[in-house]
Amino acid sequence: MKLLCLLPLAFLAALVACTPTKEEVCSKIDEAVRANMEDIAETYQLSLAIFDIKTVAFDTINENQLDRMRLATNEGYTKVFWNKYQDQKERIEEKLNEVEADQKRGVQPTAAHKMEMEDAAKRMIILYDSLKHYLTIDSTLQARIKTRQDTSKTYLYSRTYNKYRLGGKLTTDTSRYVIDEKYKVVRLMN
């Protein structure tokens, strides 16, 4: 009978022993951040020297919170491409007004001027396509958040101190990282 009473206590002790400590989790996050930095340096063929990585805190977030972070990041890209698109549109309108003014004076546009206009139009199309791409991502993320039924999958959201030199630039800051269950950094945008 005493043995039956001890079994639940032994199970509880084993369960608690399997739960990693905060320090162990922070250490695994540090390793994930280091691996991510090394991947970035290798991908872009940049020199990397890591002086310090220290996770100071972390929280858990669910998939909807992760997608909201992605939405915020995506919104930044959308604004950048929208502003570039508007700037390019204004430049083309200015050039068209110049051409129109020249034609009124009897001056025909040169071949170089025509080529410049064609290049500007091509850049505008590329910017429009990029803008459309990020707007599609935005609507996809919003739909996923609205329709997601299961938000039990969690991620770690760390606050990590970094000191490193990447491509000759020394950086010292505290950054936020999203880490998955395999202790890999989740990139907010690809």
Side-chain angles (χ1 to χ4, degrees), residues 72-118:
T73 301
N74 190 66
E75 183 180 323
Y77 286 115
T78 302
K79 284 180 182 177
V80 166
F81 281 107
W82 174 252
N83 290 338
K84 287 182 178 183
Y85 177 81
Q86 290 299 321
D87 289 346
Q88 192 65 31
K89 181 180 171 187
E90 288 174 15
R91 284 190 203 120
I92 288 175
E93 288 171 352
E94 288 172 8
K95 291 291 181 188
L96 287 174
N97 289 338
E98 288 175 18
V99 168
E100 188 178 317
D102 286 347
Q103 286 177 336
K104 285 181 181 177
R105 290 191 327 245
V107 178
Q108 294 300 318
T110 65
H113 202 167
K114 287 179 184 178
M115 188 179 298
E116 182 182 339
M117 292 292 292
E118 288 173 10

Short mmCIF file of all heavy atoms in Angstrom, two decimals, residues 72-118:
data_model
loop_
_atom_site.label_atom_id
_atom_site.label_comp_id
_atom_site.label_asym_id
_atom_site.label_seq_id
_atom_site.Cartn_x
_atom_site.Cartn_y
_atom_site.Cartn_z
N ALA A 72 3.04 43.13 -38.51
CA ALA A 72 3.71 44.41 -38.23
C ALA A 72 4.96 44.57 -39.10
O ALA A 72 5.21 45.64 -39.65
CB ALA A 72 4.07 44.50 -36.75
N THR A 73 5.74 43.50 -39.23
CA THR A 73 6.94 43.55 -40.07
C THR A 73 6.54 43.77 -41.52
O THR A 73 7.14 44.59 -42.23
CB THR A 73 7.73 42.24 -39.94
OG1 THR A 73 8.09 42.06 -38.57
CG2 THR A 73 8.97 42.25 -40.80
N ASN A 74 5.53 43.04 -41.97
CA ASN A 74 5.04 43.16 -43.34
C ASN A 74 4.53 44.57 -43.62
O ASN A 74 4.75 45.11 -44.70
CB ASN A 74 3.93 42.13 -43.58
CG ASN A 74 3.55 42.04 -45.02
OD1 ASN A 74 4.35 41.62 -45.84
ND2 ASN A 74 2.33 42.44 -45.34
N GLU A 75 3.88 45.17 -42.63
CA GLU A 75 3.37 46.53 -42.80
C GLU A 75 4.51 47.50 -43.08
O GLU A 75 4.38 48.42 -43.89
CB GLU A 75 2.60 46.96 -41.55
CG GLU A 75 1.97 48.32 -41.66
CD GLU A 75 1.20 48.71 -40.40
OE1 GLU A 75 0.58 47.84 -39.79
OE2 GLU A 75 1.25 49.90 -40.04
N GLY A 76 5.64 47.29 -42.41
CA GLY A 76 6.80 48.13 -42.66
C GLY A 76 7.28 48.03 -44.10
O GLY A 76 7.56 49.03 -44.76
N TYR A 77 7.35 46.80 -44.63
CA TYR A 77 7.75 46.60 -46.02
C TYR A 77 6.74 47.23 -46.97
O TYR A 77 7.11 47.85 -47.97
CB TYR A 77 7.89 45.10 -46.34
CG TYR A 77 9.13 44.46 -45.76
CD1 TYR A 77 9.02 43.47 -44.79
CD2 TYR A 77 10.40 44.82 -46.19
CE1 TYR A 77 10.15 42.87 -44.26
CE2 TYR A 77 11.53 44.23 -45.66
CZ TYR A 77 11.40 43.25 -44.70
OH TYR A 77 12.51 42.66 -44.17
N THR A 78 5.45 47.06 -46.66
CA THR A 78 4.40 47.62 -47.51
C THR A 78 4.55 49.14 -47.59
O THR A 78 4.47 49.72 -48.67
CB THR A 78 3.00 47.25 -46.97
OG1 THR A 78 2.90 45.82 -46.91
CG2 THR A 78 1.90 47.79 -47.86
N LYS A 79 4.79 49.79 -46.46
CA LYS A 79 4.95 51.25 -46.44
C LYS A 79 6.16 51.68 -47.27
O LYS A 79 6.10 52.65 -48.02
CB LYS A 79 5.09 51.76 -45.02
CG LYS A 79 3.79 51.80 -44.27
CD LYS A 79 3.97 52.31 -42.84
CE LYS A 79 2.66 52.30 -42.09
NZ LYS A 79 2.82 52.74 -40.70
N VAL A 80 7.27 50.94 -47.13
CA VAL A 80 8.47 51.28 -47.88
C VAL A 80 8.20 51.21 -49.38
O VAL A 80 8.52 52.14 -50.14
CB VAL A 80 9.64 50.34 -47.51
CG1 VAL A 80 10.78 50.43 -48.50
CG2 VAL A 80 10.14 50.65 -46.10
N PHE A 81 7.58 50.11 -49.83
CA PHE A 81 7.32 49.97 -51.27
C PHE A 81 6.25 50.95 -51.75
O PHE A 81 6.33 51.44 -52.88
CB PHE A 81 6.95 48.52 -51.63
CG PHE A 81 8.17 47.64 -51.70
CD1 PHE A 81 8.43 46.72 -50.70
CD2 PHE A 81 9.07 47.76 -52.74
CE1 PHE A 81 9.56 45.93 -50.75
CE2 PHE A 81 10.21 46.98 -52.80
CZ PHE A 81 10.46 46.06 -51.80
N TRP A 82 5.26 51.26 -50.93
CA TRP A 82 4.25 52.24 -51.31
C TRP A 82 4.91 53.61 -51.50
O TRP A 82 4.64 54.31 -52.49
CB TRP A 82 3.15 52.33 -50.26
CG TRP A 82 2.16 53.43 -50.54
CD1 TRP A 82 2.03 54.59 -49.86
CD2 TRP A 82 1.20 53.48 -51.59
NE1 TRP A 82 1.04 55.37 -50.41
CE2 TRP A 82 0.51 54.71 -51.49
CE3 TRP A 82 0.87 52.60 -52.62
CZ2 TRP A 82 -0.49 55.07 -52.37
CZ3 TRP A 82 -0.15 52.98 -53.50
CH2 TRP A 82 -0.81 54.19 -53.37
N ASN A 83 5.78 54.01 -50.57
CA ASN A 83 6.46 55.30 -50.68
C ASN A 83 7.37 55.35 -51.91
O ASN A 83 7.40 56.36 -52.62
CB ASN A 83 7.25 55.60 -49.41
CG ASN A 83 6.35 55.89 -48.23
OD1 ASN A 83 5.20 56.27 -48.38
ND2 ASN A 83 6.87 55.69 -47.02
N LYS A 84 8.10 54.27 -52.16
CA LYS A 84 8.97 54.23 -53.35
C LYS A 84 8.13 54.29 -54.63
O LYS A 84 8.50 54.95 -55.60
CB LYS A 84 9.83 52.96 -53.35
CG LYS A 84 10.95 53.00 -52.34
CD LYS A 84 11.80 51.73 -52.41
CE LYS A 84 12.94 51.78 -51.43
NZ LYS A 84 13.81 50.60 -51.54
N TYR A 85 7.00 53.58 -54.63
CA TYR A 85 6.10 53.59 -55.78
C TYR A 85 5.58 55.01 -56.03
O TYR A 85 5.59 55.49 -57.17
CB TYR A 85 4.94 52.62 -55.53
CG TYR A 85 3.90 52.61 -56.63
CD1 TYR A 85 4.10 51.87 -57.79
CD2 TYR A 85 2.71 53.33 -56.50
CE1 TYR A 85 3.15 51.86 -58.80
CE2 TYR A 85 1.76 53.32 -57.51
CZ TYR A 85 1.98 52.58 -58.65
OH TYR A 85 1.05 52.56 -59.64
N GLN A 86 5.15 55.70 -54.98
CA GLN A 86 4.64 57.07 -55.12
C GLN A 86 5.74 58.02 -55.61
O GLN A 86 5.48 58.88 -56.47
CB GLN A 86 4.06 57.56 -53.79
CG GLN A 86 2.77 56.88 -53.41
CD GLN A 86 1.66 57.12 -54.42
OE1 GLN A 86 1.50 58.19 -54.98
NE2 GLN A 86 0.88 56.08 -54.68
N ASP A 87 6.96 57.85 -55.08
CA ASP A 87 8.09 58.69 -55.53
C ASP A 87 8.36 58.46 -57.02
O ASP A 87 8.58 59.42 -57.78
CB ASP A 87 9.35 58.38 -54.73
CG ASP A 87 9.29 58.87 -53.30
OD1 ASP A 87 8.38 59.68 -52.98
OD2 ASP A 87 10.13 58.43 -52.48
N GLN A 88 8.36 57.20 -57.43
CA GLN A 88 8.62 56.87 -58.83
C GLN A 88 7.52 57.44 -59.72
O GLN A 88 7.79 57.98 -60.80
CB GLN A 88 8.72 55.35 -59.01
CG GLN A 88 9.25 54.92 -60.34
CD GLN A 88 10.69 55.35 -60.56
OE1 GLN A 88 11.49 55.45 -59.64
NE2 GLN A 88 11.05 55.60 -61.79
N LYS A 89 6.28 57.35 -59.27
CA LYS A 89 5.14 57.90 -60.02
C LYS A 89 5.30 59.41 -60.20
O LYS A 89 5.08 59.94 -61.30
CB LYS A 89 3.85 57.57 -59.28
CG LYS A 89 2.60 58.05 -59.96
CD LYS A 89 1.38 57.66 -59.14
CE LYS A 89 0.14 58.32 -59.71
NZ LYS A 89 -1.03 58.12 -58.86
N GLU A 90 5.70 60.11 -59.13
CA GLU A 90 5.91 61.56 -59.21
C GLU A 90 7.02 61.90 -60.20
O GLU A 90 6.91 62.86 -60.96
CB GLU A 90 6.22 62.12 -57.83
CG GLU A 90 5.04 62.17 -56.90
CD GLU A 90 5.40 62.60 -55.49
OE1 GLU A 90 6.51 63.14 -55.27
OE2 GLU A 90 4.56 62.39 -54.59
N ARG A 91 8.11 61.11 -60.18
CA ARG A 91 9.22 61.36 -61.12
C ARG A 91 8.75 61.20 -62.57
O ARG A 91 9.13 62.00 -63.44
CB ARG A 91 10.38 60.41 -60.84
CG ARG A 91 11.18 60.80 -59.64
CD ARG A 91 12.47 59.98 -59.54
NE ARG A 91 12.90 59.98 -58.16
CZ ARG A 91 13.05 58.91 -57.40
NH1 ARG A 91 12.83 57.71 -57.91
NH2 ARG A 91 13.43 59.01 -56.16
N ILE A 92 7.97 60.16 -62.81
CA ILE A 92 7.48 59.94 -64.17
C ILE A 92 6.57 61.08 -64.59
O ILE A 92 6.66 61.57 -65.73
CB ILE A 92 6.76 58.57 -64.27
CG1 ILE A 92 7.79 57.44 -64.19
CG2 ILE A 92 5.95 58.46 -65.56
CD1 ILE A 92 7.19 56.06 -64.15
N GLU A 93 5.70 61.52 -63.70
CA GLU A 93 4.81 62.64 -64.03
C GLU A 93 5.61 63.91 -64.33
O GLU A 93 5.27 64.66 -65.25
CB GLU A 93 3.81 62.87 -62.89
CG GLU A 93 2.75 61.79 -62.80
CD GLU A 93 1.87 61.88 -61.56
OE1 GLU A 93 2.16 62.71 -60.66
OE2 GLU A 93 0.91 61.10 -61.48
N GLU A 94 6.68 64.15 -63.56
CA GLU A 94 7.53 65.31 -63.82
C GLU A 94 8.18 65.21 -65.20
O GLU A 94 8.23 66.19 -65.95
CB GLU A 94 8.61 65.43 -62.74
CG GLU A 94 8.10 65.88 -61.39
CD GLU A 94 9.17 65.80 -60.30
OE1 GLU A 94 10.36 65.52 -60.61
OE2 GLU A 94 8.81 65.99 -59.12
N LYS A 95 8.68 64.03 -65.52
CA LYS A 95 9.33 63.82 -66.82
C LYS A 95 8.32 63.99 -67.96
O LYS A 95 8.64 64.59 -68.99
CB LYS A 95 9.97 62.42 -66.91
CG LYS A 95 11.15 62.24 -66.02
CD LYS A 95 12.31 63.06 -66.50
CE LYS A 95 13.52 62.83 -65.61
NZ LYS A 95 14.60 63.76 -65.92
N LEU A 96 7.10 63.48 -67.76
CA LEU A 96 6.07 63.64 -68.79
C LEU A 96 5.71 65.11 -68.99
O LEU A 96 5.50 65.56 -70.12
CB LEU A 96 4.82 62.83 -68.43
CG LEU A 96 4.92 61.32 -68.58
CD1 LEU A 96 3.67 60.64 -68.04
CD2 LEU A 96 5.15 60.92 -70.04
N ASN A 97 5.65 65.86 -67.89
CA ASN A 97 5.38 67.30 -67.99
C ASN A 97 6.51 68.01 -68.73
O ASN A 97 6.26 68.92 -69.53
CB ASN A 97 5.17 67.92 -66.61
CG ASN A 97 3.87 67.49 -65.97
OD1 ASN A 97 2.94 67.08 -66.65
ND2 ASN A 97 3.81 67.56 -64.64
N GLU A 98 7.76 67.60 -68.47
CA GLU A 98 8.91 68.18 -69.19
C GLU A 98 8.82 67.88 -70.68
O GLU A 98 9.05 68.77 -71.51
CB GLU A 98 10.23 67.63 -68.64
CG GLU A 98 10.61 68.13 -67.28
CD GLU A 98 11.87 67.45 -66.74
OE1 GLU A 98 12.63 66.84 -67.54
OE2 GLU A 98 12.09 67.51 -65.51
N VAL A 99 8.50 66.63 -71.03
CA VAL A 99 8.38 66.24 -72.43
C VAL A 99 7.26 67.04 -73.11
O VAL A 99 7.42 67.55 -74.23
CB VAL A 99 8.12 64.71 -72.56
CG1 VAL A 99 7.71 64.34 -73.97
CG2 VAL A 99 9.35 63.93 -72.15
N GLU A 100 6.14 67.17 -72.42
CA GLU A 100 5.02 67.93 -72.97
C GLU A 100 5.40 69.39 -73.20
O GLU A 100 5.08 69.98 -74.24
CB GLU A 100 3.82 67.82 -72.01
CG GLU A 100 2.54 68.42 -72.57
CD GLU A 100 1.38 68.23 -71.61
OE1 GLU A 100 1.25 67.13 -71.04
OE2 GLU A 100 0.61 69.21 -71.44
N ALA A 101 6.11 69.98 -72.23
CA ALA A 101 6.55 71.37 -72.37
C ALA A 101 7.53 71.50 -73.54
O ALA A 101 7.45 72.46 -74.32
CB ALA A 101 7.18 71.86 -71.08
N ASP A 102 8.44 70.54 -73.67
CA ASP A 102 9.40 70.56 -74.78
C ASP A 102 8.67 70.44 -76.12
O ASP A 102 9.01 71.13 -77.09
CB ASP A 102 10.42 69.42 -74.65
CG ASP A 102 11.45 69.68 -73.57
OD1 ASP A 102 11.53 70.83 -73.09
OD2 ASP A 102 12.16 68.72 -73.19
N GLN A 103 7.66 69.56 -76.20
CA GLN A 103 6.94 69.36 -77.45
C GLN A 103 6.17 70.62 -77.84
O GLN A 103 6.04 70.94 -79.01
CB GLN A 103 5.99 68.16 -77.34
CG GLN A 103 6.73 66.83 -77.38
CD GLN A 103 5.81 65.64 -77.21
OE1 GLN A 103 4.72 65.74 -76.65
NE2 GLN A 103 6.28 64.48 -77.69
N LYS A 104 5.67 71.36 -76.85
CA LYS A 104 4.97 72.61 -77.13
C LYS A 104 5.91 73.64 -77.73
O LYS A 104 5.50 74.50 -78.51
CB LYS A 104 4.30 73.15 -75.88
CG LYS A 104 3.05 72.40 -75.49
CD LYS A 104 2.41 73.00 -74.25
CE LYS A 104 1.17 72.19 -73.87
NZ LYS A 104 0.55 72.69 -72.64
N ARG A 105 7.18 73.55 -77.35
CA ARG A 105 8.20 74.47 -77.89
C ARG A 105 8.79 73.93 -79.19
O ARG A 105 9.66 74.55 -79.79
CB ARG A 105 9.32 74.66 -76.87
CG ARG A 105 8.91 75.45 -75.66
CD ARG A 105 10.10 75.85 -74.78
NE ARG A 105 11.17 74.88 -74.78
CZ ARG A 105 11.58 74.16 -73.73
NH1 ARG A 105 10.98 74.33 -72.57
NH2 ARG A 105 12.56 73.30 -73.83
N GLY A 106 8.34 72.73 -79.60
CA GLY A 106 8.82 72.16 -80.86
C GLY A 106 10.03 71.26 -80.70
O GLY A 106 10.64 70.86 -81.69
N VAL A 107 10.43 70.93 -79.48
CA VAL A 107 11.59 70.07 -79.23
C VAL A 107 11.09 68.65 -78.99
O VAL A 107 10.26 68.40 -78.12
CB VAL A 107 12.40 70.57 -78.01
CG1 VAL A 107 13.57 69.65 -77.72
CG2 VAL A 107 12.85 72.00 -78.21
N GLN A 108 11.59 67.73 -79.79
CA GLN A 108 11.21 66.32 -79.65
C GLN A 108 12.14 65.64 -78.65
O GLN A 108 13.32 65.96 -78.56
CB GLN A 108 11.29 65.60 -81.01
CG GLN A 108 10.28 66.11 -82.01
CD GLN A 108 8.85 65.95 -81.53
OE1 GLN A 108 8.48 64.93 -80.96
NE2 GLN A 108 8.05 67.00 -81.72
N PRO A 109 11.59 64.65 -77.88
CA PRO A 109 12.43 63.94 -76.90
C PRO A 109 13.53 63.13 -77.58
O PRO A 109 13.32 62.56 -78.65
CB PRO A 109 11.45 63.02 -76.16
CG PRO A 109 10.15 63.10 -76.87
CD PRO A 109 10.22 64.19 -77.88
N THR A 110 14.69 63.12 -76.96
CA THR A 110 15.82 62.36 -77.51
C THR A 110 15.64 60.87 -77.19
O THR A 110 14.82 60.48 -76.37
CB THR A 110 17.15 62.84 -76.88
OG1 THR A 110 17.11 62.53 -75.48
CG2 THR A 110 17.36 64.33 -77.09
N ALA A 111 16.45 60.06 -77.86
CA ALA A 111 16.40 58.61 -77.62
C ALA A 111 16.78 58.31 -76.17
O ALA A 111 16.20 57.41 -75.54
CB ALA A 111 17.34 57.89 -78.59
N ALA A 112 17.75 59.04 -75.64
CA ALA A 112 18.17 58.83 -74.25
C ALA A 112 17.03 59.18 -73.29
O ALA A 112 16.80 58.48 -72.29
CB ALA A 112 19.40 59.68 -73.94
N HIS A 113 16.31 60.24 -73.60
CA HIS A 113 15.19 60.66 -72.77
C HIS A 113 14.09 59.60 -72.80
O HIS A 113 13.49 59.28 -71.76
CB HIS A 113 14.67 62.01 -73.25
CG HIS A 113 13.91 62.77 -72.22
ND1 HIS A 113 13.59 64.08 -72.34
CD2 HIS A 113 13.39 62.40 -71.02
CE1 HIS A 113 12.92 64.49 -71.29
NE2 HIS A 113 12.78 63.48 -70.47
N LYS A 114 13.81 59.04 -73.98
CA LYS A 114 12.80 57.98 -74.11
C LYS A 114 13.22 56.74 -73.32
O LYS A 114 12.39 56.12 -72.64
CB LYS A 114 12.60 57.63 -75.58
CG LYS A 114 11.83 58.67 -76.36
CD LYS A 114 11.69 58.25 -77.81
CE LYS A 114 11.00 59.33 -78.62
NZ LYS A 114 10.89 58.97 -80.04
N MET A 115 14.51 56.40 -73.38
CA MET A 115 15.01 55.23 -72.66
C MET A 115 14.90 55.46 -71.15
O MET A 115 14.53 54.55 -70.40
CB MET A 115 16.46 54.93 -73.03
CG MET A 115 16.97 53.61 -72.45
SD MET A 115 18.66 53.20 -72.90
CE MET A 115 18.50 53.04 -74.66
N GLU A 116 15.19 56.67 -70.71
CA GLU A 116 15.07 57.01 -69.29
C GLU A 116 13.62 56.84 -68.82
O GLU A 116 13.36 56.30 -67.74
CB GLU A 116 15.54 58.44 -69.07
CG GLU A 116 15.51 58.90 -67.63
CD GLU A 116 15.95 60.34 -67.47
OE1 GLU A 116 16.63 60.88 -68.37
OE2 GLU A 116 15.58 60.93 -66.44
N MET A 117 12.66 57.26 -69.66
CA MET A 117 11.25 57.11 -69.32
C MET A 117 10.84 55.64 -69.26
O MET A 117 10.10 55.22 -68.37
CB MET A 117 10.38 57.85 -70.36
CG MET A 117 10.51 59.34 -70.31
SD MET A 117 9.83 60.05 -68.82
CE MET A 117 8.12 59.72 -69.07
N GLU A 118 11.34 54.85 -70.20
CA GLU A 118 11.03 53.42 -70.21
C GLU A 118 11.59 52.73 -68.97
O GLU A 118 10.93 51.90 -68.36
CB GLU A 118 11.58 52.76 -71.48
CG GLU A 118 10.81 53.11 -72.73
CD GLU A 118 11.46 52.59 -74.00
OE1 GLU A 118 12.43 51.78 -73.91
OE2 GLU A 118 11.02 52.98 -75.08
#
